[in-house]
Amino acid sequence: MSDQKPEDFAEAPLNSSRATDFKTSMNLSARQIGDTKRIFQEWEGGPFSHLKRVTIPYHLASRGFKFSANGHLFDSLLSVKVYCDSLTGISGNDLDQDPIVADLVTSGQINFTGKTGTHSVTPGQICIRDTKASWEFFCAPATRLRVVTIPRHLVLSRVGSPQILGQAYTSDVSAPEVRFLVNFLEAIEKSSSDLDRSISTQNIALDACAALFSGMLSERSELGLQDHPNATVNAAKNVIERNIERADLSPAMVAQMIGVSVRTLHRSFSESNDSLMAFARRRRLQKAHGELMRLGSTASISEIAACWQFSDSSHFIRHFKSFYGTTPAAYLRNYGKAGSEN
């Protein structure tokens, strides 16, 4: 392989009888990584044409470079599973025809930096963004992900406002709307023969995907969370409610999921005379209180404390007393007496 030229590996030809199938790959040794502009010129005019200034980082070039994408492409809707070694560049050409792109990472990591902040997409997370606005990106070595691109005008016509597209949507794959999207994409894969035979089936799939994207972007963006503190707080509270049992719930995680900076998130809460983690603690105390009432005399304070992410029993008891005016045990005794008197 060392005697072949880089451009020989720029794109593997499609070896499939299905018109909707898409497959491309690169496999470069360290010697073959030279003029990256020539290596990636095959992407011009194709489904990856929104990418520019694509470069294999020099300090990682000694490892060689591999890239592969396998999936489906029809009527400008691309849905592929990708393997990519370390890569940097810019996603977006400031053109109306640049697509809306979703990246769902299964291993590795991709960082996107745009005007609205930085999004680090790690395994089990998805990021949907409008590439009409340029995003700098860095793909970590050996990253695996599913990439979906859809024409921008199909989404814009549904959301109605370019402002909604200005905020990236980031979420965990566990979110119901993301699980629904993944199931939809898997259904597309299973229906490849129908897609290949029927233009109307392709149009239905394209329309359904555009509706999913527009719904997710509209729900999360709230018409520009950076400029509307109340919308930021409401969106953050929704994320907290959905992830209240997670041990890794943090300002950084919430900020990433709603597409704002941590600084903007804290500022928005401070303007509402609250703090993000104080709200999360109150909701956990309320959940713990409900659990305490449900279990009654059989309740284990240590187990409830652990379930609702308090570091230990004393930490839970202290916060419970501050919020409810008495300890959990005393609260249960008083609750029991009140119940017997009734």
Side-chain angles (χ1 to χ4, degrees), residues 1 9 21 23 28 30 74 97 100 106 125 191 201 208 230 244 255 265 281-282 289 306 319:
M1 193 168 83
F9 295 82
D21 284 356
K23 181 178 181 180
L28 306 173
F74 56 90
Q97 59 263 39
I100 305 295
T106 55
Q125 293 184 319
S191 304
T201 304
N230 289 338
I244 194 68
L265 182 63
R281 184 169 57 248
R282 288 198 304 273
H289 172 268
H319 284 294

Side-chain angles (χ1 to χ4, degrees), residues 89-135:
I90 295 176
S91 174
N93 295 288
D94 196 28
L95 300 173
D96 288 334
Q97 59 263 39
D98 287 333
I100 305 295
V101 180
D103 297 282
L104 197 161
V105 175
T106 55
S107 66
Q109 180 174 324
I110 303 181
N111 297 332
F112 296 104
T113 301
K115 293 180 180 179
T116 59
T118 297
H119 303 273
S120 296
V121 191
T122 55
Q125 293 184 319
I126 190 173
C127 179
I128 302 176
R129 60 210 157 74
D130 178 12
T131 62
K132 185 179 187 297
S134 295
W135 297 82

Side-chain angles (χ1 to χ4, degrees), residues 4-246:
Q4 290 175 281
K5 298 178 182 179
E7 54 266 32
D8 293 335
F9 295 82
E11 184 169 355
L14 180 63
N15 296 316
S16 173
S17 59
R18 298 191 189 280
T20 59
D21 284 356
F22 179 87
K23 181 178 181 180
T24 186
S25 64
M26 300 181 193
N27 191 351
L28 306 173
S29 68
R31 283 184 57 188
Q32 293 168 325
I33 299 173
D35 186 350
T36 54
K37 183 177 180 180
R38 293 181 63 193
I39 291 174
F40 295 105
Q41 68 183 357
E42 294 287 343
W43 288 4
E44 296 178 6
F48 298 114
S49 60
H50 63 282
L51 301 178
K52 60 183 180 180
R53 303 181 196 170
V54 181
T55 303
I56 301 168
Y58 178 78
H59 66 286
L60 296 173
S62 61
R63 305 179 183 179
F65 176 80
K66 291 183 180 180
F67 174 90
S68 65
N70 296 277
H72 301 282
L73 172 66
F74 56 90
D75 201 11
S76 300
L77 172 64
L78 177 74
S79 176
V80 289
K81 293 180 178 178
V82 170
Y83 173 93
C84 186
D85 279 332
S86 188
L87 204 62
T88 66
I90 295 176
S91 174
N93 295 288
D94 196 28
L95 300 173
D96 288 334
Q97 59 263 39
D98 287 333
I100 305 295
V101 180
D103 297 282
L104 197 161
V105 175
T106 55
S107 66
Q109 180 174 324
I110 303 181
N111 297 332
F112 296 104
T113 301
K115 293 180 180 179
T116 59
T118 297
H119 303 273
S120 296
V121 191
T122 55
Q125 293 184 319
I126 190 173
C127 179
I128 302 176
R129 60 210 157 74
D130 178 12
T131 62
K132 185 179 187 297
S134 295
W135 297 82
E136 295 182 7
F137 72 88
F138 169 77
C139 180
T143 292
R144 295 182 185 273
L145 67 157
R146 184 194 288 271
V147 177
V148 183
T149 70
I150 188 169
R152 182 175 185 270
H153 71 273
L154 293 177
V155 178
L156 180 59
S157 64
R158 286 170 170 80
V159 300
S161 170
Q163 286 181 292
I164 293 179
L165 300 184
Q167 296 288 334
Y169 170 101
T170 57
S171 183
D172 285 349
V173 71
S174 58
E177 63 271 23
V178 181
R179 291 202 306 268
F180 190 87
L181 174 64
V182 172
N183 291 336
F184 169 75
L185 296 174
E186 290 176 352
I188 286 181
E189 292 181 4
K190 294 176 181 178
S191 304
S192 58
S193 58
D194 294 328
L195 291 168
D196 198 56
R197 293 195 300 264
S198 171
I199 297 298
S200 62
T201 304
Q202 294 179 23
N203 290 335
I204 291 171
L206 189 64
D207 187 68
C209 192
L212 282 171
F213 274 40
S214 60
M216 294 162 78
L217 289 168
S218 297
E219 177 187 2
R220 187 58 52 88
S221 118
E222 297 290 343
L223 290 174
L225 297 178
Q226 297 276 8
D227 301 321
H228 300 279
N230 289 338
T232 301
V233 171
N234 290 337
K237 286 180 177 179
N238 288 335
V239 170
I240 291 169
E241 291 289 351
R242 291 203 302 266
N243 296 276
I244 194 68
E245 296 183 51
R246 290 182 55 164

